[in-house]
Amino acid sequence: MPKILAAVLAVFAFAFWSIPAGAAMSDKEKAELAPVVSSAKVTLEQGLLASKKNGKPVSGKFEIENGKPQLSVYIVKDGTKYSEVIVDHTSGEIAKAEPITGGDDLAEAKKQSAGLFRATRELREAVKEAKRDNPGYQAVSVWSEMKGSHSMATVTLVKDNDWKTTVIDLTVYKTLIKEQP
């Protein structure tokens, strides 16, 4: 009997461990966000690239903030300075950058930065790989976290109203996807 209980607990522990913390999005949020991502002139990869001017991206996502769509990227600079960079989703220019100084946002940014500890690839490469493996899907969000001794990127994708989440290992070498001119 104790072996069965231990096995059941192990299955639940793995399930909770493998479900990404940032993945929970209501159906209403998904319905609002899907057309925003589909019509955005700037992709998540382009937003991650633009934000590199301010530091190293540790996560990025399309979101609706105060009723308006935006592309938000958390970055770290000098290993200790965290900021949220808002990239204009129509032009690709940085609209604003604000320091993250406390609260849940700082805790998440630190956790995501720590998630890149063993990364040999950038988040942008993980997004490209996820899109390549899921033709026709657009990237909605990406964040990093440690799982065991691996830096992992969780990428959320959407195509029409079909949502997918994929996890990409950032610690292994894979052939880089060639840049489109």
Side-chain angles (χ1 to χ4, degrees):
M1 186 70 166
K3 288 183 182 180
I4 294 172
L5 180 60
V8 169
L9 289 175
V11 168
F12 280 120
F14 177 77
F16 286 120
W17 175 77
S18 64
I19 296 171
M25 203 183 315
S26 73
D27 289 341
K28 181 182 178 199
E29 289 171 319
K30 287 180 178 181
E32 290 175 350
L33 206 50
V36 168
V37 175
S38 297
S39 66
K41 293 179 181 171
V42 176
T43 64
L44 182 58
E45 305 96 300
Q46 292 167 324
L48 292 167
L49 183 61
S51 71
K52 282 181 69 171
K53 296 173 188 168
N54 291 40
K56 181 180 182 178
V58 297
S59 68
K61 65 181 177 180
F62 283 95
E63 63 185 353
I64 307 291
E65 186 73 27
N66 299 322
K68 294 183 179 182
Q70 70 179 25
L71 177 51
S72 169
V73 180
Y74 282 6
I75 57 113
V76 62
K77 188 171 186 174
D78 302 328
T80 59
K81 298 174 186 160
Y82 298 91
S83 298
E84 179 181 20
V85 175
I86 305 300
V87 178
D88 184 312
H89 69 284
T90 58
S91 71
E93 299 295 319
I94 294 176
K96 68 178 178 177
E98 296 179 343
I100 302 172
T101 56
D104 292 340
D105 288 343
L106 182 59
E108 280 299 310
K110 285 182 176 182
K111 180 180 174 188
Q112 292 161 352
S113 178
L116 292 172
F117 176 69
R118 293 188 183 262
T120 57
R121 303 188 298 152
E122 294 182 12
L123 288 178
R124 193 167 51 94
E125 294 173 62
V127 171
K128 287 180 184 180
E129 184 177 327
K131 287 176 62 176
R132 182 198 65 209
D133 293 345
N134 296 281
Y137 282 80
Q138 295 297 316
V140 178
S141 66
V142 62
W143 67 91
S144 56
E145 61 186 330
M146 289 298 293
K147 287 193 177 181
S149 61
H150 289 262
S151 290
M152 306 299 280
T154 301
V155 183
T156 303
L157 304 158
V158 66
K159 179 180 177 183
D160 300 322
N161 285 317
D162 185 31
W163 291 78
K164 287 185 176 184
T165 300
T166 185
V167 179
I168 307 290
D169 192 340
L170 296 172
T171 59
V172 296
Y173 176 81
K174 291 192 178 188
T175 303
L176 300 178
I177 298 169
K178 295 189 183 218
E179 294 282 332
Q180 298 296 325

